[in-house]
Amino acid sequence: VYQVSTGKVVILDMSMSMRATDIPPDRLTRAKFKTIDLLNSLEDGEVGLVVDAGDAFTISPLTSDVTNITTLIPSLRPELMPIPGSDPLFAMQQAEKLLASAGYKKGEIYWISDGIEFDDIKELQEHIAKSPYRYSILGVGTQAGAPIKMLDGSLMKDVRGNIVLPTLTSRYFTQV
């Protein structure tokens, strides 16, 4: 029996900035659609799903049953994450652990996110450079940005009462 020798893991950003409305209806909804499309396009091998905010969590370990994963995606939302924020390194490490523990020496990691902080670039570069796995990044959002619409319809504000306006800084992704 022929078996594909690469595993795949999708990392989906669950930070609150994914609620920004610059891509209708919001970044998160579009990212979920893209994730489902990506999963359905992967023909062979096993795939897993990791979500991240201030920490990373495995939603699905590696499986050949993509349908199971795609049924979980619509219920994902930032409010379910126990630690707010954004720290993609945790998610990358979690994805690599999934692949390694399943015995994959080669693999693909697809990272779907709306951005990274400038201060994280060097750390992420170093991590990816040392990784035996190939990374592909899909940036979600626009450079103009938009407010973050909360579940109750209000707009997210910072500690000073200013409306938070996250933007996609795609040049940071190209540096990673």
Side-chain angles (χ1 to χ4, degrees):
V1 175
Y2 174 76
Q3 184 176 1
V4 176
S5 62
T6 61
K8 300 160 191 77
V9 177
V10 176
I11 300 171
L12 182 57
D13 187 342
M14 280 291 131
S15 60
M16 286 304 293
S17 60
M18 291 293 283
R19 289 241 181 250
T21 56
D22 50 345
I23 301 176
D26 60 35
R27 294 175 182 181
L28 181 59
T29 302
R30 288 296 186 113
K32 288 179 184 181
F33 288 143
K34 289 294 183 188
T35 302
I36 291 170
D37 288 346
L38 173 62
L39 290 169
N40 287 329
S41 73
L42 301 175
E43 296 178 3
D44 296 321
E46 294 183 310
V47 65
L49 178 64
V50 172
V51 295
D52 77 296
D55 201 354
F57 299 92
T58 299
I59 299 300
S60 174
L62 293 175
T63 179
S64 57
D65 187 1
V66 172
T67 305
N68 254 354
I69 300 174
T70 59
T71 59
L72 297 171
I73 292 172
S75 64
L76 298 175
R77 58 182 207 248
E79 293 79 12
L80 296 175
M81 301 302 287
I83 302 172
S86 180
D87 197 335
L89 182 61
F90 288 141
M92 291 176 178
Q93 292 168 338
Q94 185 70 26
E96 290 182 11
K97 281 182 198 171
L98 284 175
L99 291 166
S101 65
Y104 289 106
K105 293 181 173 135
K106 294 182 182 180
E108 304 278 336
I109 298 174
Y110 303 95
W111 177 29
I112 301 173
S113 177
D114 69 344
I116 56 176
E117 297 295 323
F118 178 78
D119 294 342
D120 294 335
I121 292 173
K122 184 175 170 105
E123 180 180 54
L124 295 174
Q125 283 174 331
E126 290 171 357
H127 180 81
I128 290 172
K130 293 177 187 174
S131 175
Y133 306 107
R134 189 175 94 174
Y135 280 83
S136 298
I137 303 169
L138 173 62
V140 182
T142 65
Q143 292 179 348
I148 298 170
K149 191 172 185 180
M150 305 301 286
L151 288 178
D152 65 3
S154 66
L155 300 179
M156 180 181 251
K157 296 180 180 176
D158 63 18
V159 293
R160 293 185 180 148
N162 299 318
I163 293 173
V164 177
L165 189 72
T167 60
L168 175 68
T169 311
S170 56
R171 66 185 152 100
Y172 291 172
F173 282 130
T174 58
Q175 293 175 13
V176 173

